[in-house]
Amino acid sequence: MSAENEIADSSSSGSEMEQDTPLKHKSGFKGEGDDIMPNLPPIVKKRVKALKKLLVSQTDVDTKFYTELHVLECKYHKEYLAYYNKRSDIVQGNYEPTEEECDFPSDEEDDVKDLSTDMEGKVKLEESKVNDGIVDSTSDKLKGIPDFWLTILKNTSLISDMIQPHDEPILSHLTDIKVYLLEEPMGFALEFHFSLMNGLPILY
């Protein structure tokens, strides 16, 4: 092989090696994970540190925002209680809403169709029990909205997947869910109310 060919081969190999070797962007903000900072010029590193410090300072504002937001939630939660209590009375059959209170757009409308269809099925099931003589229509067993909370939970995307078939008989006895907002320390508590199951209280 001639010297010229050796030089050409050497040049070609060097070119291929350069193509196979990843380029290091020492002058730009590129890379992944821990590989970014070491490859940055000192002046850029200082600016990145300034951004980190700025972000930490921003969390102080976030803390103040969520603290004030929680106080506001606690304030209006007290005004919601009257609505929650009335809802509970209707669901449990302790209060029968008036015709005026029932004057609401048809359940066939799209915005409530899915939930109302499921709820309607529950009511029809209870009505069929009455018609078949399984439940005495003159008794107080058919009152309120049957399986209200079970239906709500099964139609809530964050919860529905967690409900297993063996949970449903218990959740069908769920009569109310109450929420209590705690001002200090910030937080909330949920209180679940169940009716008797086979004459016995449900322990949870």
Side-chain angles (χ1 to χ4, degrees):
M1 181 181 293
S2 66
E4 292 180 356
N5 289 337
E6 290 181 358
I7 294 174
D9 291 341
S10 174
S11 175
S12 175
S13 299
S15 176
E16 291 176 357
M17 290 179 63
E18 289 178 0
Q19 292 177 0
D20 293 338
T21 303
L23 296 177
K24 292 185 178 181
H25 303 277
K26 292 189 176 182
S27 59
F29 193 70
K30 297 182 179 180
E32 295 182 3
D34 296 335
D35 295 334
I36 299 177
M37 289 295 287
N39 294 329
L40 295 177
I43 186 63
V44 178
K45 288 182 181 180
K46 290 177 63 177
R47 293 166 186 159
V48 172
K49 289 181 179 180
L51 291 181
K52 289 183 177 181
K53 188 174 182 179
L54 190 64
L55 183 60
V56 171
S57 299
Q58 180 183 326
T59 59
D60 294 336
V61 180
D62 289 339
T63 301
K64 182 179 179 181
F65 168 75
Y66 286 110
T67 299
E68 294 183 8
L69 178 62
H70 185 71
V71 171
L72 192 63
E73 287 178 332
C74 290
K75 173 186 175 181
Y76 282 95
H77 177 70
K78 296 174 182 177
E79 298 188 23
Y80 287 137
L81 289 178
Y83 297 94
Y84 296 155
N85 292 335
K86 192 166 188 177
R87 177 187 66 192
S88 178
D89 286 338
I90 293 175
V91 169
Q92 297 184 59
N94 299 327
Y95 173 79
E96 191 64 35
T98 65
E99 289 297 324
E100 182 180 356
E101 291 173 324
C102 296
D103 185 15
F104 191 76
S106 171
D107 287 346
E108 297 299 323
E109 294 190 358
D110 293 339
D111 58 342
V112 292
K113 185 175 181 180
D114 293 338
L115 182 57
S116 64
T117 301
D118 195 2
M119 192 70 71
E120 182 181 357
K122 299 288 186 181
V123 174
K124 286 183 177 179
L125 177 61
E126 294 297 326
E127 290 177 347
S128 67
K129 291 180 180 179
V130 172
N131 295 332
D132 294 339
I134 299 175
V135 176
D136 183 2
S137 61
T138 61
S139 72
D140 61 351
K141 292 184 179 180
L142 183 61
K143 63 179 184 178
I145 304 178
D147 295 338
F148 174 81
W149 284 107
L150 172 60
T151 304
I152 294 297
L153 295 177
K154 289 180 66 176
N155 283 274
T156 302
S157 58
L158 292 176
I159 302 175
S160 58
D161 291 340
M162 295 187 289
I163 298 177
Q164 302 299 316
H166 60 265
D167 296 321
E168 295 192 19
I170 296 176
L171 291 176
S172 66
H173 286 268
L174 183 59
T175 59
D176 199 11
I177 300 177
K178 295 183 181 294
V179 59
Y180 298 94
L181 296 183
L182 310 176
E183 295 187 20
E184 191 63 38
M186 288 196 306
F188 68 93
L190 293 177
E191 190 174 273
F192 296 84
H193 293 252
F194 293 87
S195 62
L196 296 178
M197 186 174 183
N198 297 326
L200 299 174
I202 295 177
L203 301 178
Y204 59 94

